[in-house]
Amino acid sequence: YMPHPNGHRETLREATQAAHTAAENVWFGAGQFASLTDYHAWLTRMLEVHEALGLTAAASVSSDHFLLTETARCMALRRDLHAEPDVRKPESGGSESHAWGVLYALNGSALGASHIHREISKLPNWPILYLAEMRGYATSGGVKTFFDELNTASLDADDALSGALEVFDRISAAKTA
């Protein structure tokens, strides 16, 4: 694909727009979760994606704060799901460009999580620690800082795209898995 003159963020946004929309439609096709059970299934899928892809990606880039951010997200998801903490140390894997693509998809989702948080927080007994963590990241300037770093990173564009699409594909497959 062709790099966007405004940087990697816009390049990845344009190249993943269809996959991003497909992932949202799997879970939010009606504009909301169908039930608490559906929401728990989404949280479970997000935990799997963050642990399988996010932690590895965060360990593969040169900034420790990405690893701390991903670890906090996994901890919040595990608390929402009443799951035991995972004490494994994440190991890096794959290329740094692929990792940036994974992190693009996960960090960008913090913006959508802010919207979901507003809706879910109105419902009694729906766990919101993960959504609150993502909302905090979005509203604290974390997303902007991430996108600034992404835009200045030296990336193989196709490898970064592959990482972002892997995240969206795993989220899309969630309901049938």
Side-chain angles (χ1 to χ4, degrees):
Y1 67 95
M2 293 298 298
H4 194 281
N6 290 337
H8 299 306
R9 177 189 182 187
E10 286 303 312
T11 301
L12 287 168
R13 188 186 64 75
E14 288 178 2
T16 62
Q17 194 163 11
H20 182 178
T21 300
E24 286 181 343
N25 286 340
V26 166
W27 294 99
F28 316 113
Q32 62 188 18
F33 290 101
S35 66
L36 181 57
T37 300
D38 211 32
Y39 177 60
H40 275 254
W42 178 76
L43 289 172
T44 300
R45 173 45 70 169
M46 294 309 296
L47 177 61
E48 293 167 3
V49 171
H50 279 285
E51 287 186 344
L53 302 177
L55 287 173
T56 299
S60 299
V61 297
S62 55
S63 278
D64 286 343
H65 70 271
F66 294 134
L67 188 54
L68 294 172
T69 299
E70 276 302 302
T71 300
R73 291 170 183 172
C74 291
M75 289 172 53
L77 281 159
R78 286 185 166 279
R79 287 176 47 207
D80 277 346
L81 294 166
H82 304 288
E84 291 295 317
D86 186 351
V87 294
R88 290 175 294 154
K89 183 178 184 325
E91 296 186 24
S92 62
S95 75
E96 190 165 333
S97 292
H98 187 270
W100 277 104
V102 167
L103 294 173
Y104 159 80
L106 293 175
N107 287 319
S109 70
L111 300 171
S114 288
H115 172 73
I116 298 168
H117 179 269
R118 278 193 301 277
E119 300 304 314
I120 297 294
S121 64
K122 298 173 189 174
L123 303 172
N125 303 316
W126 285 48
I128 60 166
L129 294 173
Y130 170 68
L131 293 174
E133 180 73 29
M134 295 296 278
R135 181 180 177 273
Y137 184 75
T139 59
S140 70
V143 171
K144 181 188 179 322
T145 299
F146 170 78
F147 286 139
D148 289 345
E149 290 184 48
L150 173 68
N151 281 333
T152 61
S154 176
L155 300 181
D156 174 278
D158 290 329
D159 209 12
L161 176 59
S162 172
L165 290 174
E166 185 176 3
V167 170
F168 293 126
D169 289 348
R170 285 211 188 185
I171 293 169
S172 294
K175 269 193 159 174
T176 58

